Structures are given as structure tokens and as C-alpha cells.
Amino acid sequence: MIRLIVIVIIVYFAYRGFRSWLRQLGSDRTGAAESSPEIDDEMVQDPYCQTYVPKRDGLRTRVGGEVLYFCSETCRDRYIDESTARK
Ligand SMILES: [Zn+2]
């Protein structure tokens, strides 16, 4: 009878340990999704000089409803000048 109680207690703690282990795995996965470092390092192309710049360093500009990223203010100004001159 005592042996049965010991087995039940062992199974109970094993089950609890397994549950907390699963919860830890789940929280690890959501933590990685929240930080998402791959979006931070995304490369975007400067439409004027065709240079690739990291999205976080690019000069974010909205041109005609489209969001573009430039490597410098010079490229941005020239691109806007040319695109408005064409119209
Ligand atoms: Zn540029």
C-alpha cells in the first residue's frame, strides 16, 4: 500500500515537472517572436543609388503613398526632384 502511494507521488511530481517544462518552452517561443531581431536587420534598397541599407538606418520617406528608404538626404532629395520633374 505504501509503495502505491510513493508511485502516485512520483507520478504527480513528474507530471508537474513536465507541465512547467512545457510552459517554459512556450514562453521561450513567444519571447523570441516579440523581439524578432530578423526584422531589425532587414535590408532595404535605396531607389536612387540602388545601395542596400539596414532598414533601421535608412531614411524613411513617404513618396506618393509609398514608403521608401534612402541612404542619405541627398539621395532622397534627388529622387524626389526627379520623380516630381517627370510628372
Ligand atoms: Zn543613396
Side-chain angles (χ1 to χ4, degrees):
M1 191 61 196
I2 288 168
R3 199 179 282 179
L4 183 71
I5 290 165
V6 169
I7 288 166
V8 167
I9 288 167
I10 287 167
V11 168
Y12 175 68
F13 278 104
Y15 176 69
R16 276 189 54 160
F18 183 67
R19 282 277 304 258
S20 69
W21 176 70
L22 275 184
R23 217 178 300 129
Q24 216 173 314
L25 281 183
S27 68
D28 279 358
R29 222 175 287 134
T30 52
E34 273 166 19
S35 59
S36 55
E38 65 277 359
I39 288 169
D40 235 28
D41 293 336
E42 196 184 328
M43 298 300 278
V44 285
Q45 194 178 26
D46 182 324
Y48 186 77
C49 67
Q50 313 297 310
T51 300
Y52 281 93
V53 289
K55 202 169 185 173
R56 62 174 183 274
D57 293 341
L59 204 63
R60 192 186 142 107
T61 313
R62 188 176 279 272
V63 183
E66 200 183 349
V67 176
L68 300 168
Y69 293 86
F70 297 90
C71 69
S72 65
E73 285 180 29
T74 313
C75 281
R76 181 196 63 190
D77 293 344
R78 283 180 185 170
Y79 182 83
I80 290 167
D81 280 353
E82 285 191 12
S83 66
T84 51
R86 251 182 259 137
K87 277 170 193 168

Coordinates of all heavy atoms in Angstrom, one line a residue:
M1 N 0.8 -1.2 0.0 CA 0.0 0.0 0.0 C 0.9 1.2 0.0 O 0.6 2.2 -0.7 CB -0.9 0.0 1.2 CG -2.0 1.1 1.2 SD -3.1 0.9 -0.2 CE -3.9 2.5 -0.3
I2 N 1.9 1.3 0.8 CA 2.8 2.4 0.9 C 3.5 2.6 -0.5 O 3.7 3.7 -0.9 CB 3.9 2.3 2.1 CG1 3.1 2.5 3.4 CG2 5.0 3.3 1.9 CD1 3.9 2.1 4.6
R3 N 3.9 1.5 -1.1 CA 4.6 1.6 -2.4 C 3.7 2.3 -3.4 O 4.1 3.1 -4.2 CB 4.9 0.1 -2.8 CG 6.0 0.1 -3.9 CD 6.3 -1.3 -4.4 NE 7.2 -2.0 -3.4 CZ 7.6 -3.2 -3.6 NH1 7.2 -3.9 -4.6 NH2 8.4 -3.8 -2.7
L4 N 2.4 2.0 -3.4 CA 1.4 2.6 -4.3 C 1.3 4.1 -4.1 O 1.4 4.9 -5.1 CB 0.0 2.0 -4.1 CG -1.1 2.5 -5.0 CD1 -0.9 2.0 -6.4 CD2 -2.5 2.1 -4.5
I5 N 1.3 4.5 -2.8 CA 1.3 6.0 -2.5 C 2.6 6.7 -3.0 O 2.5 7.7 -3.7 CB 1.1 6.2 -1.0 CG1 -0.3 5.8 -0.6 CG2 1.4 7.7 -0.6 CD1 -0.4 5.6 0.9
V6 N 3.7 6.0 -2.9 CA 5.0 6.6 -3.3 C 5.0 6.7 -4.9 O 5.4 7.7 -5.4 CB 6.2 5.7 -2.9 CG1 7.5 6.1 -3.6 CG2 6.4 5.8 -1.4
I7 N 4.4 5.7 -5.6 CA 4.3 5.8 -7.0 C 3.4 6.9 -7.5 O 3.8 7.7 -8.4 CB 3.8 4.4 -7.6 CG1 4.9 3.3 -7.5 CG2 3.4 4.5 -9.0 CD1 4.5 1.9 -7.7
V8 N 2.3 7.1 -6.8 CA 1.4 8.2 -7.1 C 2.0 9.5 -6.9 O 1.9 10.4 -7.8 CB 0.1 8.0 -6.2 CG1 -0.8 9.3 -6.3 CG2 -0.8 6.9 -6.7
I9 N 2.8 9.7 -5.8 CA 3.5 10.9 -5.5 C 4.6 11.2 -6.6 O 4.6 12.3 -7.2 CB 4.2 10.9 -4.1 CG1 3.1 11.0 -3.1 CG2 5.2 12.1 -4.0 CD1 3.5 10.7 -1.6
I10 N 5.3 10.2 -7.0 CA 6.3 10.3 -8.1 C 5.7 10.7 -9.4 O 6.2 11.7 -10.1 CB 7.2 9.0 -8.2 CG1 8.1 8.9 -7.0 CG2 8.0 9.0 -9.5 CD1 8.7 7.5 -6.9
V11 N 4.6 10.1 -9.7 CA 3.9 10.4 -11.0 C 3.4 11.8 -10.9 O 3.5 12.6 -11.9 CB 2.7 9.4 -11.2 CG1 1.8 9.8 -12.3 CG2 3.3 8.0 -11.6
Y12 N 2.9 12.2 -9.8 CA 2.3 13.6 -9.6 C 3.4 14.6 -9.8 O 3.2 15.6 -10.6 CB 1.7 13.7 -8.2 CG 1.2 15.1 -7.9 CD1 0.2 15.7 -8.5 CD2 1.9 15.9 -6.9 CE1 -0.3 17.0 -8.3 CE2 1.5 17.2 -6.6 CZ 0.4 17.7 -7.3 OH 0.0 19.0 -7.0
F13 N 4.6 14.4 -9.2 CA 5.7 15.4 -9.4 C 6.3 15.4 -10.8 O 6.6 16.4 -11.3 CB 6.8 15.2 -8.3 CG 6.4 15.8 -7.0 CD1 6.0 15.0 -5.9 CD2 6.5 17.2 -6.8 CE1 5.6 15.6 -4.7 CE2 6.1 17.8 -5.6 CZ 5.7 17.0 -4.6
A14 N 6.3 14.2 -11.4 CA 6.8 14.1 -12.8 C 5.8 14.8 -13.7 O 6.3 15.6 -14.6 CB 6.9 12.6 -13.2
Y15 N 4.6 14.7 -13.4 CA 3.5 15.4 -14.2 C 3.7 16.9 -14.1 O 3.7 17.7 -15.1 CB 2.2 14.9 -13.8 CG 1.0 15.7 -14.5 CD1 0.8 15.5 -15.8 CD2 0.2 16.5 -13.7 CE1 -0.3 16.2 -16.5 CE2 -0.8 17.2 -14.4 CZ -1.1 17.0 -15.7 OH -2.1 17.7 -16.3
R16 N 3.9 17.4 -12.8 CA 4.1 18.8 -12.6 C 5.3 19.4 -13.3 O 5.3 20.5 -13.8 CB 4.1 19.1 -11.1 CG 2.7 19.2 -10.5 CD 2.8 19.7 -9.0 NE 3.6 20.9 -8.9 CZ 3.5 21.8 -7.9 NH1 2.7 21.5 -6.9 NH2 4.2 22.8 -7.8
G17 N 6.4 18.6 -13.2 CA 7.7 19.0 -13.8 C 7.5 19.1 -15.3 O 8.0 20.0 -15.9
F18 N 6.8 18.1 -15.9 CA 6.5 18.1 -17.3 C 5.7 19.3 -17.7 O 6.0 20.0 -18.7 CB 5.8 16.8 -17.7 CG 5.5 16.6 -19.1 CD1 6.6 16.4 -20.0 CD2 4.3 16.6 -19.6 CE1 6.4 16.3 -21.4 CE2 4.0 16.5 -21.0 CZ 5.1 16.3 -21.9
R19 N 4.7 19.7 -16.9 CA 3.8 20.8 -17.2 C 4.6 22.1 -17.2 O 4.5 23.0 -18.1 CB 2.7 20.9 -16.2 CG 1.5 19.9 -16.4 CD 0.5 20.4 -17.4 NE 0.0 21.7 -17.0 CZ -1.2 21.9 -16.5 NH1 -2.0 20.9 -16.2 NH2 -1.7 23.1 -16.2
S20 N 5.5 22.3 -16.2 CA 6.3 23.6 -16.1 C 7.3 23.6 -17.2 O 7.6 24.7 -17.7 CB 6.9 23.7 -14.7 OG 7.9 22.7 -14.6
W21 N 7.8 22.5 -17.6 CA 8.8 22.4 -18.7 C 8.1 22.8 -20.0 O 8.7 23.6 -20.8 CB 9.3 21.0 -18.8 CG 10.3 20.7 -19.9 CD1 11.5 21.2 -20.1 CD2 10.0 20.0 -21.1 NE1 12.1 20.8 -21.3 CE2 11.2 20.1 -21.9 CE3 8.9 19.2 -21.6 CZ2 11.3 19.4 -23.2 CZ3 9.0 18.6 -22.8 CH2 10.2 18.7 -23.6
L22 N 6.9 22.4 -20.2 CA 6.1 22.7 -21.4 C 5.9 24.2 -21.4 O 6.0 24.9 -22.5 CB 4.8 22.0 -21.5 CG 4.8 20.6 -22.1 CD1 3.4 20.1 -22.2 CD2 5.4 20.6 -23.5
R23 N 5.5 24.8 -20.3 CA 5.2 26.2 -20.1 C 6.4 27.0 -20.5 O 6.4 28.1 -21.1 CB 4.7 26.5 -18.7 CG 3.6 27.6 -18.7 CD 3.1 27.8 -17.3 NE 2.5 26.6 -16.7 CZ 2.8 26.2 -15.5 NH1 3.7 26.8 -14.7 NH2 2.2 25.1 -15.0
Q24 N 7.6 26.5 -20.0 CA 8.9 27.2 -20.3 C 9.2 27.3 -21.8 O 9.6 28.3 -22.3 CB 10.0 26.5 -19.5 CG 11.0 27.4 -19.0 CD 12.0 26.7 -18.1 OE1 11.6 25.9 -17.3 NE2 13.3 26.9 -18.3
L25 N 8.9 26.1 -22.4 CA 9.1 26.1 -23.9 C 8.2 27.1 -24.6 O 8.7 27.8 -25.5 CB 8.8 24.7 -24.4 CG 9.9 23.6 -24.2 CD1 9.4 22.3 -24.9 CD2 11.2 24.0 -24.8
G26 N 7.0 27.1 -24.2 CA 6.0 28.1 -24.8 C 6.4 29.5 -24.6 O 6.3 30.3 -25.5
S27 N 6.9 29.9 -23.4 CA 7.2 31.3 -23.1 C 8.5 31.6 -23.9 O 8.6 32.8 -24.3 CB 7.4 31.5 -21.6 OG 8.6 30.8 -21.1
D28 N 9.4 30.7 -24.1 CA 10.6 30.9 -24.8 C 10.2 31.3 -26.3 O 10.8 32.2 -26.9 CB 11.5 29.7 -24.9 CG 12.4 29.6 -23.6 OD1 12.3 30.5 -22.7 OD2 13.1 28.6 -23.4
R29 N 9.3 30.6 -26.8 CA 8.9 30.8 -28.2 C 8.2 32.2 -28.4 O 8.5 32.9 -29.3 CB 7.9 29.7 -28.6 CG 8.2 29.2 -30.0 CD 7.3 28.0 -30.4 NE 7.6 26.8 -29.7 CZ 6.8 26.0 -29.1 NH1 5.5 26.2 -29.1 NH2 7.2 24.9 -28.5
T30 N 7.3 32.6 -27.4 CA 6.7 33.9 -27.5 C 7.7 35.0 -27.3 O 7.6 36.0 -28.0 CB 5.5 34.0 -26.5 OG1 6.0 33.7 -25.2 CG2 4.3 33.1 -26.9
G31 N 8.7 34.8 -26.4 CA 9.7 35.8 -26.2 C 10.5 36.1 -27.4 O 10.8 37.2 -27.7
A32 N 10.8 35.0 -28.2 CA 11.6 35.1 -29.5 C 10.8 35.9 -30.5 O 11.3 36.7 -31.3 CB 12.0 33.8 -30.0
A33 N 9.4 35.6 -30.5 CA 8.6 36.3 -31.5 C 8.4 37.8 -31.2 O 8.3 38.6 -32.1 CB 7.2 35.6 -31.5
E34 N 8.5 38.1 -29.9 CA 8.3 39.5 -29.6 C 9.5 40.4 -30.0 O 9.3 41.5 -30.5 CB 8.1 39.6 -28.1 CG 6.6 39.5 -27.7 CD 6.4 39.2 -26.2 OE1 7.4 39.5 -25.4 OE2 5.4 38.7 -25.8
S35 N 10.7 39.9 -29.7 CA 11.9 40.6 -30.0 C 12.1 40.7 -31.6 O 12.5 41.8 -32.1 CB 13.1 40.1 -29.3 OG 13.3 38.7 -29.7
S36 N 11.9 39.6 -32.3 CA 12.1 39.5 -33.7 C 13.2 40.3 -34.3 O 13.0 41.3 -34.9 CB 10.8 39.9 -34.4 OG 10.3 41.1 -34.1
P37 N 14.5 39.8 -34.0 CA 15.7 40.5 -34.5 C 15.8 40.5 -36.0 O 16.5 41.4 -36.5 CB 16.8 39.8 -33.8 CG 16.3 38.4 -33.6 CD 14.8 38.6 -33.4
E38 N 15.2 39.6 -36.7 CA 15.4 39.5 -38.2 C 14.7 40.7 -38.9 O 15.2 41.1 -39.9 CB 14.9 38.1 -38.7 CG 13.4 37.9 -38.6 CD 13.0 37.4 -37.2 OE1 13.9 37.2 -36.4 OE2 11.8 37.1 -37.0
I39 N 13.7 41.2 -38.3 CA 13.0 42.4 -38.9 C 13.9 43.6 -38.7 O 14.0 44.5 -39.6 CB 11.6 42.6 -38.3 CG1 10.7 41.5 -38.8 CG2 11.0 44.0 -38.7 CD1 9.4 41.4 -38.1
D40 N 14.6 43.7 -37.6 CA 15.5 44.8 -37.3 C 16.7 44.9 -38.3 O 17.1 46.0 -38.7 CB 16.1 44.6 -35.9 CG 15.9 45.8 -35.0 OD1 14.9 46.5 -35.3 OD2 16.7 46.0 -34.1
D41 N 17.1 43.7 -38.8 CA 18.3 43.6 -39.7 C 17.9 43.6 -41.1 O 18.7 43.3 -42.0 CB 19.2 42.4 -39.3 CG 19.8 42.6 -37.9 OD1 19.9 43.7 -37.5 OD2 20.1 41.5 -37.3
E42 N 16.6 43.8 -41.4 CA 16.2 43.7 -42.8 C 16.9 44.8 -43.7 O 17.0 46.0 -43.3 CB 14.7 44.0 -42.8 CG 14.0 43.5 -44.1 CD 12.5 43.9 -44.2 OE1 11.9 43.8 -43.1 OE2 12.0 44.2 -45.2
M43 N 17.3 44.4 -44.9 CA 17.9 45.3 -45.8 C 16.9 45.9 -46.8 O 16.1 45.2 -47.3 CB 19.1 44.6 -46.5 CG 20.2 44.1 -45.6 SD 21.0 45.3 -44.7 CE 22.2 45.9 -45.9
V44 N 17.0 47.2 -47.0 CA 16.1 47.9 -48.0 C 17.0 48.6 -49.0 O 18.1 49.0 -48.7 CB 15.2 48.9 -47.3 CG1 14.1 48.1 -46.5 CG2 15.9 49.8 -46.3
Q45 N 16.5 48.7 -50.2 CA 17.3 49.3 -51.3 C 16.9 50.8 -51.5 O 15.7 51.1 -51.5 CB 17.0 48.5 -52.6 CG 18.0 48.9 -53.7 CD 17.8 48.1 -54.9 OE1 16.7 47.7 -55.2 NE2 18.9 47.9 -55.7
D46 N 17.9 51.6 -51.6 CA 17.8 53.0 -51.9 C 17.3 53.1 -53.4 O 18.1 52.6 -54.2 CB 19.1 53.7 -51.7 CG 19.1 55.2 -51.9 OD1 18.4 55.6 -52.8 OD2 19.8 55.9 -51.2
P47 N 16.2 53.6 -53.7 CA 15.7 53.6 -55.1 C 16.5 54.5 -56.0 O 16.4 54.5 -57.2 CB 14.2 54.0 -55.0 CG 14.1 54.7 -53.7 CD 15.2 54.2 -52.8
Y48 N 17.2 55.5 -55.4 CA 18.0 56.4 -56.2 C 19.4 55.9 -56.6 O 19.7 55.8 -57.8 CB 18.2 57.7 -55.4 CG 18.8 58.8 -56.3 CD1 18.1 59.4 -57.3 CD2 20.2 59.1 -56.1 CE1 18.7 60.4 -58.1 CE2 20.8 60.0 -57.0 CZ 20.0 60.7 -58.0 OH 20.7 61.6 -58.8
C49 N 20.2 55.4 -55.6 CA 21.6 55.0 -55.9 C 21.7 53.5 -55.9 O 22.8 52.9 -56.1 CB 22.6 55.6 -54.9 SG 22.4 55.1 -53.2
Q50 N 20.6 52.7 -55.6 CA 20.5 51.3 -55.6 C 21.3 50.6 -54.5 O 21.7 49.4 -54.6 CB 20.9 50.7 -57.0 CG 20.3 51.3 -58.2 CD 18.7 51.2 -58.2 OE1 18.2 50.1 -58.1 NE2 18.0 52.3 -58.4
T51 N 21.7 51.4 -53.5 CA 22.5 50.9 -52.4 C 21.6 50.2 -51.4 O 20.5 50.7 -51.1 CB 23.3 52.0 -51.7 OG1 24.2 52.6 -52.7 CG2 24.1 51.5 -50.5
Y52 N 22.0 49.1 -50.8 CA 21.2 48.4 -49.7 C 21.6 49.0 -48.4 O 22.8 49.1 -48.1 CB 21.4 46.9 -49.8 CG 20.6 46.3 -50.9 CD1 21.2 46.1 -52.1 CD2 19.3 45.9 -50.6 CE1 20.4 45.5 -53.2 CE2 18.5 45.4 -51.6 CZ 19.1 45.2 -52.9 OH 18.3 44.6 -53.9
V53 N 20.7 49.4 -47.6 CA 20.9 49.9 -46.3 C 20.0 49.2 -45.3 O 18.9 48.8 -45.6 CB 20.6 51.5 -46.2 CG1 21.7 52.3 -46.9 CG2 19.2 51.8 -46.7
P54 N 20.5 49.0 -44.0 CA 19.7 48.4 -43.0 C 18.4 49.3 -42.7 O 18.5 50.5 -42.7 CB 20.6 48.4 -41.7 CG 21.9 48.6 -42.2 CD 21.8 49.4 -43.5
K55 N 17.3 48.6 -42.6 CA 16.0 49.3 -42.5 C 16.0 50.3 -41.4 O 15.5 51.4 -41.5 CB 14.9 48.3 -42.3 CG 13.5 48.8 -42.7 CD 12.5 47.7 -42.7 CE 11.2 48.2 -43.2 NZ 10.2 47.1 -43.4
R56 N 16.7 50.0 -40.2 CA 16.7 50.9 -39.1 C 17.5 52.1 -39.3 O 17.4 53.1 -38.7 CB 17.1 50.2 -37.8 CG 18.5 49.6 -37.8 CD 18.8 49.0 -36.5 NE 20.2 48.5 -36.5 CZ 20.6 47.3 -36.9 NH1 19.6 46.5 -37.3 NH2 21.8 46.9 -36.9
D57 N 18.5 52.0 -40.2 CA 19.4 53.1 -40.5 C 18.9 54.0 -41.7 O 19.4 55.1 -41.9 CB 20.8 52.6 -40.8 CG 21.5 52.0 -39.6 OD1 21.0 52.3 -38.5 OD2 22.5 51.3 -39.8
G58 N 18.0 53.4 -42.5 CA 17.6 54.1 -43.7 C 16.7 55.3 -43.4 O 16.1 55.4 -42.3
L59 N 16.8 56.3 -44.3 CA 16.0 57.5 -44.2 C 14.6 57.2 -44.7 O 14.4 57.2 -45.9 CB 16.7 58.6 -45.0 CG 16.4 60.0 -44.6 CD1 16.9 60.3 -43.1 CD2 17.1 61.0 -45.5
R60 N 13.7 57.0 -43.8 CA 12.3 56.6 -44.1 C 11.5 57.8 -44.7 O 11.4 58.8 -44.0 CB 11.6 56.0 -42.9 CG 10.3 55.3 -43.1 CD 9.7 54.9 -41.8 NE 8.3 55.1 -41.9 CZ 7.4 54.0 -41.9 NH1 7.9 52.8 -41.8 NH2 6.1 54.2 -42.0
T61 N 11.1 57.7 -45.9 CA 10.3 58.8 -46.5 C 9.1 58.2 -47.3 O 9.2 57.2 -48.0 CB 11.2 59.5 -47.6 OG1 12.5 59.7 -47.0 CG2 10.6 60.8 -48.0
R62 N 8.0 58.9 -47.2 CA 6.8 58.5 -47.9 C 6.7 59.3 -49.2 O 6.7 60.6 -49.1 CB 5.6 58.8 -47.0 CG 4.3 58.2 -47.6 CD 3.2 58.4 -46.6 NE 3.1 57.4 -45.6 CZ 2.5 56.2 -45.7 NH1 1.9 55.9 -46.8 NH2 2.5 55.4 -44.7
V63 N 6.8 58.6 -50.3 CA 6.8 59.3 -51.6 C 5.6 58.8 -52.4 O 5.5 57.6 -52.7 CB 8.1 59.1 -52.4 CG1 8.0 59.8 -53.8 CG2 9.3 59.5 -51.6
G64 N 4.6 59.6 -52.6 CA 3.4 59.2 -53.4 C 2.7 58.0 -52.8 O 2.3 57.1 -53.5
G65 N 2.5 58.0 -51.4 CA 1.8 56.9 -50.8 C 2.7 55.7 -50.6 O 2.2 54.7 -50.0
E66 N 3.9 55.7 -51.1 CA 4.8 54.5 -51.0 C 5.9 54.9 -50.0 O 6.5 56.0 -50.1 CB 5.4 54.2 -52.3 CG 5.9 52.8 -52.5 CD 6.5 52.6 -53.9 OE1 6.4 53.4 -54.7 OE2 7.2 51.5 -54.0
V67 N 6.2 54.0 -49.1 CA 7.3 54.2 -48.1 C 8.6 53.7 -48.7 O 8.8 52.6 -49.1 CB 7.0 53.5 -46.7 CG1 8.2 53.7 -45.8 CG2 5.7 54.1 -46.1
L68 N 9.6 54.6 -48.8 CA 10.9 54.3 -49.4 C 12.0 54.6 -48.4 O 11.8 55.4 -47.5 CB 11.1 55.2 -50.6 CG 10.1 55.0 -51.8 CD1 10.3 56.1 -52.8 CD2 10.3 53.6 -52.4
Y69 N 13.1 53.9 -48.5 CA 14.2 54.1 -47.6 C 15.4 54.6 -48.4 O 15.8 54.0 -49.4 CB 14.5 52.8 -46.9 CG 13.4 52.4 -45.9 CD1 12.3 51.7 -46.4 CD2 13.5 52.8 -44.6 CE1 11.3 51.3 -45.5 CE2 12.5 52.4 -43.7 CZ 11.4 51.7 -44.2 OH 10.4 51.3 -43.3
F70 N 16.0 55.6 -47.9 CA 17.2 56.2 -48.6 C 18.4 56.1 -47.7 O 18.3 56.2 -46.5 CB 16.9 57.7 -49.0 CG 15.8 57.8 -50.0 CD1 14.5 58.0 -49.5 CD2 16.0 57.7 -51.4 CE1 13.4 58.1 -50.4 CE2 15.0 57.9 -52.3 CZ 13.7 58.0 -51.8
C71 N 19.6 56.1 -48.4 CA 20.9 56.0 -47.6 C 21.3 57.4 -47.1 O 22.0 57.5 -46.1 CB 22.0 55.4 -48.5 SG 22.5 56.5 -49.8
S72 N 20.8 58.5 -47.7 CA 21.2 59.8 -47.3 C 20.1 60.8 -47.7 O 19.3 60.5 -48.6 CB 22.5 60.2 -47.9 OG 22.4 60.3 -49.3
E73 N 20.2 62.0 -47.2 CA 19.2 63.1 -47.5 C 19.4 63.5 -49.0 O 18.5 63.9 -49.6 CB 19.4 64.3 -46.6 CG 18.8 64.0 -45.2 CD 19.0 65.2 -44.3 OE1 19.1 66.4 -44.8 OE2 19.1 65.0 -43.1
T74 N 20.7 63.5 -49.4 CA 21.0 63.8 -50.8 C 20.2 62.9 -51.8 O 19.6 63.4 -52.7 CB 22.5 63.7 -51.1 OG1 23.2 64.3 -50.0 CG2 22.9 64.3 -52.4
C75 N 20.3 61.6 -51.6 CA 19.6 60.7 -52.4 C 18.1 60.9 -52.4 O 17.4 60.9 -53.4 CB 19.9 59.2 -52.0 SG 21.5 58.7 -52.6
R76 N 17.6 61.1 -51.2 CA 16.2 61.4 -51.0 C 15.7 62.6 -51.8 O 14.7 62.6 -52.6 CB 15.8 61.6 -49.5 CG 14.3 61.8 -49.3 CD 14.1 62.3 -47.9 NE 14.7 63.6 -47.8 CZ 14.8 64.3 -46.6 NH1 14.4 63.8 -45.5 NH2 15.4 65.5 -46.5
D77 N 16.5 63.7 -51.6 CA 16.1 65.0 -52.3 C 16.2 64.8 -53.8 O 15.3 65.3 -54.5 CB 17.0 66.1 -51.8 CG 16.8 66.4 -50.4 OD1 15.7 66.0 -49.8 OD2 17.6 67.1 -49.8
R78 N 17.2 64.2 -54.3 CA 17.4 64.0 -55.8 C 16.3 63.1 -56.3 O 15.8 63.3 -57.4 CB 18.8 63.4 -56.1 CG 19.9 64.4 -55.9 CD 21.2 63.9 -56.2 NE 22.3 64.9 -56.0 CZ 23.5 64.6 -56.0 NH1 24.0 63.4 -56.2 NH2 24.4 65.6 -55.8
Y79 N 16.0 62.0 -55.6 CA 14.9 61.1 -56.0 C 13.6 61.8 -56.1 O 12.9 61.7 -57.1 CB 14.8 59.9 -55.1 CG 13.8 58.9 -55.5 CD1 14.1 57.9 -56.4 CD2 12.5 59.0 -55.0 CE1 13.1 57.0 -56.8 CE2 11.5 58.0 -55.4 CZ 11.8 57.1 -56.3 OH 10.9 56.2 -56.7
I80 N 13.3 62.6 -55.1 CA 12.0 63.4 -55.1 C 12.0 64.4 -56.2 O 11.0 64.6 -56.9 CB 11.8 64.0 -53.7 CG1 11.5 62.9 -52.7 CG2 10.6 65.1 -53.7 CD1 11.5 63.4 -51.2
D81 N 13.1 65.1 -56.4 CA 13.2 66.1 -57.5 C 13.0 65.4 -58.8 O 12.2 66.0 -59.7 CB 14.7 66.7 -57.5 CG 14.8 67.8 -56.5 OD1 13.8 68.2 -55.8 OD2 15.9 68.3 -56.3
E82 N 13.6 64.3 -59.1 CA 13.4 63.6 -60.4 C 12.0 63.0 -60.6 O 11.5 63.1 -61.6 CB 14.5 62.4 -60.5 CG 15.9 63.0 -60.7 CD 16.8 61.8 -61.1 OE1 16.4 60.7 -61.4 OE2 18.0 62.1 -61.1
S83 N 11.5 62.5 -59.5 CA 10.1 61.9 -59.6 C 9.1 63.0 -59.8 O 8.1 62.8 -60.5 CB 9.8 61.0 -58.4 OG 9.7 61.9 -57.2
T84 N 9.3 64.2 -59.2 CA 8.3 65.3 -59.4 C 8.5 65.9 -60.8 O 7.6 66.4 -61.4 CB 8.4 66.3 -58.3 OG1 9.8 66.7 -58.1 CG2 7.8 65.8 -57.0
A85 N 9.8 66.0 -61.3 CA 10.1 66.6 -62.6 C 9.5 65.7 -63.7 O 9.1 66.3 -64.7 CB 11.6 66.7 -62.7
R86 N 9.4 64.4 -63.5 CA 8.9 63.5 -64.5 C 7.4 63.7 -64.8 O 6.9 63.5 -65.8 CB 9.2 62.1 -64.1 CG 10.3 61.4 -64.9 CD 10.5 59.9 -64.5 NE 11.6 59.8 -63.7 CZ 11.7 59.1 -62.6 NH1 10.6 58.4 -62.2 NH2 12.8 59.0 -61.9
K87 N 6.7 64.1 -63.7 CA 5.3 64.3 -63.8 C 4.8 65.5 -64.6 O 5.5 66.5 -64.7 CB 4.7 64.3 -62.4 CG 4.5 62.9 -61.9 CD 4.1 62.9 -60.4 CE 4.2 61.5 -59.8 NZ 4.2 61.5 -58.4
Ligands
ZN1 ZN 21.6 56.6 -51.8

